[in-house]
Structure formats: C-alpha cells, structure tokens
Amino acid sequence: MLRRAALVTLLLVLLAVPGAAALPIPPPPDRRVNDYAGALSPAERDGLEQQLIAREAASQNQVVVAVFRSLQGESLEDYSIRLAKAWRIGQKGLDNGVIFLVFLDDRKMRIEVGYGLEGNLTDAVSSSILRDIVAPRFREGRIAEGIGAGLASIDRALAGTYQRPPGPNRGQPTHGFGSREVLALLFVAFLIMALVLNRAQQAGLRRRGWTGASTGWGGPFLGGGFGGGGGGGFSGGSSSGGGLVMARHPRWVRRFLGEADLDAVTAAIASAEAATSAEIRVHLDARCPGEALARGALVFERLGMHRTAARHGVLIYVSVEDRKLAVLGDRGIHERVGQVYWDGLVESVLAHFRGARFRDGLVHAVGEVGAVLRRHFPRRPDDVNELPDGVSVEPS
C-alpha cells in the first residue's frame, strides 16, 4: 500500500513539473500597452497607449506591446508564438496585428507580425528596428523612449516609409576631430595596414581574396510571423525557390563547380536532410555589389527559407566572382547554437575555398550544418522535404 502511494505521489510530481515550468500566458488584454514588468510609469504607459490608439484609428492596423521581466528559461520563439496564438491581435480575415515583446532581464526582444502585414514589416525591417532603433535606447536605460521609438518605426514600416539608419551612430551627438586626433588615427591605421600586409606576405598570399561572414539570421532581434496556421513565416518570394535551379548553368558557375561537383553538393544536402526536419540550401551568385550578409538575407526570403515551420533553415550563400561567402541560419537554429558556431563554420569553409577546393568546402559546410540540425531538429516520421535540395543559381 505504501509503495503504491509512493508511486502515485511520484507520478503527480512528474505531471506537475512541466506545468510549473511553463511561463504563463496572460489573458488577452484590453489595453495596447501591457507592462507586466512594472518598467513604465503610468504617464509613460498612457502616452504610448494614446499614440497607438491614434495610429490604429488612421490605419486600422492593431499594434500592442507586452513587456515582461523574464522568459524564466523559456524559448523566446516558442513563448512569442504561444502568446500570439492566444491573443489573436488583428482583425479577423486581415491578419493585420503586430505584437512587440520585450523581456528586460533576458535582454531579448521580438516583433510578431500578422501575415497581412508581412509585405512591409519583413524580417530584415524588424531586425533593423530592434537593433538600430530600440536596442541603443534600452542600453541607456531609456525603456519608454525605446518602446516609443520602436512603435513609431513599426508605424513607418507598415506605411512603407521606414528607412534603416546608415550607421551605428545615427541619432547620437557627433564630435569633431582636431588635427592631433586625425594624425593619431592615421598613424594607427598605418600600423594596422602594415600588420595585415605582413601577415598576408607570410601566408604567401594563398588566401585568394575570399572573405566570409555569418549570422544567426534571426537571433533575438528579428520579427516572427503569426496568424493563419501559426508557426511563423513571412511572405515575399517563391515558397519553394525551385525556379532558381537552372537546367544548364552559365559559364561562371561551371568555372566554379562542374556538373559532378554540383551533383555532389546536392547529394550532400539530401543526405543531411534525411536525418533532420530542417532545410539546407546552397545558392550561387555571380556578383554581390554590397555586403554578402545583406544579399544573403534577401536570397533567404526569396527562396522561401523563412517559411519552414520551426524556422530552422540554413542558407550557404556564395558570390563567385567577388569571392564572398555568407552563412545564414534562421532563428530556430541560431537560438540553439549561437554566433560562435557560425563564425567557426565560415572559417572552416574558407580554408577549403582559399585552396580552390570549392566542392569540398561546400560539402563540408553541408555536413557540419546537417550534424548540428540533426542534433537539435531530428527527423520525424511525418516530416516532408519543404524545399528543393538542388544548388540554386542566381539568373544572369
């Protein structure tokens, strides 16, 4: 009898643990500004509330704010999606709602966007708003001002007038440099240039000009999607990206990878995805006039990689003529591996590229990414291949 009672008690404890660990979802609010952390004064909260009421009357778009003290160990993405599904912000049939979430102690933010507004408030725009507009003010302790500036930027984005600040010092006071400061900067620049040139010479200039960059293209500073079927996803671009897989590749592609090489990369992708529910794409571009990461982010959306249910797509972007490499991971995988992983992956691929081992570098990258995705997103019996496996090529 005592043994049975002990087993029942243990079972009740085990059943109670998950429910106790989950951060509760507040009931759907009757206000637009919801400060569960006590970070805003009544005057600040009411001022932001009145701004949102006026903007909603003019645009019909519904925007709400939720400020929490902590995630209490929960995943930012999972909690945000649960909150969005419970609150159902936006007009029925239009999906024109936005939720701006802030978790102060975790230093994390997220913008959840209804499907009806994703055309203007994209991942890239949401990222810029949180990183360039809100975060600098938060770092200075100006919480109300940061939220207000973020809401104003969201309103401009929805109206199609938002422009990303040109640099990290936008909105901050500028200071002139005297002649001494200029000379000191030139001297430092000369020393750095001399050091770089010396190391390049010691390496025998074998690097061949390849440069790389990486990002968890999501992290804590990118918006998500909700509405419709839930689970996230932004519109724009082909949902499959299949139109970019070319039957006969242009000459610049054939100089970089032969047909057998392309087949080997495709086979590596298929093999990696056989063990994970995530998606991997390799995209080749002839030229990238700007930053490889920025270009890669556009390709990421156009290929529909942001539409994966768990936001776990990974894009390996290569600009062949400019010798640029970028690896972009969506927020689902980035939140699990962090930036250090991406930086290490890029360096390992560049080591192959600088030795002109392009196929080996891409196969290596796919294999490494596949192993990480398999560990965090193992394949389930009901998984389907959401995106093509073939190497996509930018049309000339």
Side-chain angles (χ1 to χ4, degrees):
M1 186 69 179
L2 291 176
R3 184 177 181 182
R4 179 178 298 178
L7 289 174
V8 171
T9 301
L10 178 60
L11 178 60
L12 291 175
V13 170
L14 292 175
L15 291 175
V17 168
L23 181 63
I25 298 293
D30 54 7
R31 296 178 57 91
R32 291 157 184 82
V33 180
N34 304 275
D35 180 16
Y36 303 104
L40 305 174
S41 69
E44 291 170 337
R45 186 180 63 235
D46 292 342
L48 294 171
E49 182 83 15
Q50 293 305 314
Q51 293 175 22
L52 290 179
I53 291 174
R55 289 168 183 156
E56 183 176 325
S59 67
Q60 303 302 310
N61 298 323
Q62 297 180 0
V63 181
V64 301
V65 178
V67 183
F68 298 90
R69 179 55 57 186
S70 170
L71 278 163
Q72 298 181 16
E74 281 223 29
S75 161
L76 172 65
E77 178 184 7
D78 293 344
Y79 185 78
S80 301
I81 292 175
R82 285 201 295 124
L83 182 76
K85 289 181 178 179
W87 283 11
R88 296 185 176 277
I89 303 301
Q91 296 173 318
K92 186 176 181 180
L94 297 179
D95 283 327
N96 60 340
V98 176
I99 305 179
F100 179 9
L101 298 101
V102 178
F103 299 88
L104 297 173
D105 290 350
D106 303 294
R107 298 176 180 267
K108 291 184 178 182
M109 298 177 284
R110 182 173 166 109
I111 297 176
E112 289 285 349
V113 187
Y115 287 146
L117 301 179
E118 291 168 352
N120 287 332
L121 192 53
T122 63
D123 270 4
V125 171
S126 297
S127 173
S128 173
I129 291 173
L130 295 178
R131 182 182 60 247
D132 303 327
I133 304 298
V134 181
R137 292 167 170 83
F138 277 15
R139 283 194 289 268
E140 297 173 356
R142 297 180 290 158
I143 304 302
E145 185 178 337
I147 292 174
L151 293 173
S153 297
I154 289 173
D155 186 62
R156 288 194 293 272
L158 296 177
T161 59
Y162 174 79
Q163 292 187 358
R164 180 177 178 177
N169 295 322
R170 183 180 178 89
Q172 301 179 5
T174 57
H175 304 277
F177 289 96
S179 58
R180 291 183 179 180
E181 289 84 354
V182 171
L183 289 174
L185 289 174
L186 289 174
F187 179 70
V188 171
F190 173 78
L191 290 178
I192 293 174
M193 185 177 298
L195 177 62
V196 171
L197 289 175
N198 181 57
R199 290 191 175 184
Q201 290 173 353
Q202 291 177 354
L205 297 178
R206 292 190 298 270
R207 292 180 178 265
R208 303 189 65 224
W210 276 98
T211 60
S214 64
T215 182
W217 191 68
F221 290 126
L222 280 190
F226 66 89
F234 287 79
S235 60
S238 167
S239 61
S240 68
L244 293 178
V245 180
M246 305 176 66
R248 176 167 177 79
H249 299 97
R251 184 173 300 174
W252 61 268
V253 176
R254 298 197 298 272
R255 285 198 299 265
F256 182 69
L257 293 175
E259 293 298 328
D261 300 326
L262 292 168
D263 291 342
V265 176
T266 300
I269 295 174
S271 176
E273 292 185 355
T276 177
S277 62
E279 297 290 336
I280 306 171
R281 296 298 304 268
V282 174
H283 185 82
L284 304 182
D285 205 347
R287 291 191 176 278
C288 173
E291 293 293 329
L293 277 177
R295 175 66 174 168
L298 294 175
V299 173
F300 195 101
E301 287 198 39
R302 186 151 49 84
L303 292 177
M305 299 193 66
H306 55 294
R307 296 181 183 274
T308 58
R311 302 305 296 265
H312 49 18
V314 176
L315 172 66
I316 301 167
Y317 171 84
V318 182
S319 176
V320 175
E321 301 293 339
D322 297 312
R323 298 182 179 183
K324 295 178 182 178
L325 168 71
V327 178
L328 299 93
D330 210 342
R331 70 169 60 88
I333 181 61
H334 176 64
E335 289 177 352
R336 288 164 172 81
V337 301
Q339 187 63 37
V340 174
Y341 169 77
W342 303 116
D343 294 343
L345 176 65
V346 165
E347 282 304 313
S348 66
V349 177
L350 288 179
H352 289 279
F353 279 15
R354 288 162 181 158
R357 301 185 304 274
F358 306 121
R359 179 179 71 175
D360 294 344
L362 292 176
V363 170
H364 164 77
V366 170
E368 289 292 318
V369 169
V372 169
L373 291 172
R374 180 174 66 250
R375 183 163 63 250
H376 294 288
F377 301 97
R379 192 170 184 85
R380 301 183 303 270
D382 59 342
D383 280 335
V384 296
N385 195 3
E386 300 177 79
L387 299 172
D389 297 333
V391 177
S392 59
V393 176
E394 192 70 21
S396 301

